[in-house]
């Protein structure tokens, strides 16, 4: 399956935004950015991408959107979901590894 250049560029921009510091970063007392806030922002970004894909599909069903735009939005949502699933799998694997360590 070929990935459209616009969809790839959109995915790279979304990933770059996820790693960029927010306008109001919260930090722990040691000055380290809060990982929970980073994850929360990443989930919100993915949720927004998924909603945009759904909205574009609905617009296409009513004849208001171009099929290319719909495919790009749905492809972006699919890549975001795949990324979330991969991160979830890594977190679960790390948790299982920690739980198997001897005390």
């Amino acid at each position: 399956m070929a990935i459209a250049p616009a969809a790839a560029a959109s995915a790279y921009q979304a990933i770059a935004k996820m790693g960029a510091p927010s306008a109001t970063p919260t930090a722990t007392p040691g000055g380290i950015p809060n990982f929970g806030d980073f994850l929360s922002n990443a989930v919100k970004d993915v949720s927004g991408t998924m909603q945009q894909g759904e909205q574009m599909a609905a617009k296409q069903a009513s004849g208001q959107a171009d099929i290319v735009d719909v495919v790009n939005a749905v492809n972006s949502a699919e890549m975001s979901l795949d990324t979330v699933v991969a991160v979830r799998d890594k977190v679960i694997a790390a948790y299982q590894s920690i739980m198997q360590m001897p005390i």
Side-chain angles (χ1 to χ4, degrees), residues 23-94:
T24 57
T26 57
T28 59
I32 301 171
N34 191 341
F35 185 70
D37 288 344
F38 171 77
L39 285 180
S40 176
N41 290 337
V43 169
K44 287 177 186 175
D45 288 344
V46 169
S47 177
T49 303
M50 298 292 285
Q51 288 175 353
Q52 183 181 10
E54 291 174 3
Q55 289 171 355
M56 290 299 290
K59 285 182 181 180
Q60 173 60 32
S62 65
Q64 297 176 350
D66 185 33
I67 190 70
V68 175
D69 294 334
V70 174
V71 170
N72 286 338
V74 170
N75 192 21
S76 178
E78 182 181 4
M79 285 190 291
S80 296
L81 181 62
D82 289 345
T83 302
V84 168
V85 169
V87 169
R88 180 208 60 192
D89 291 345
K90 289 291 186 178
V91 168
I92 290 172

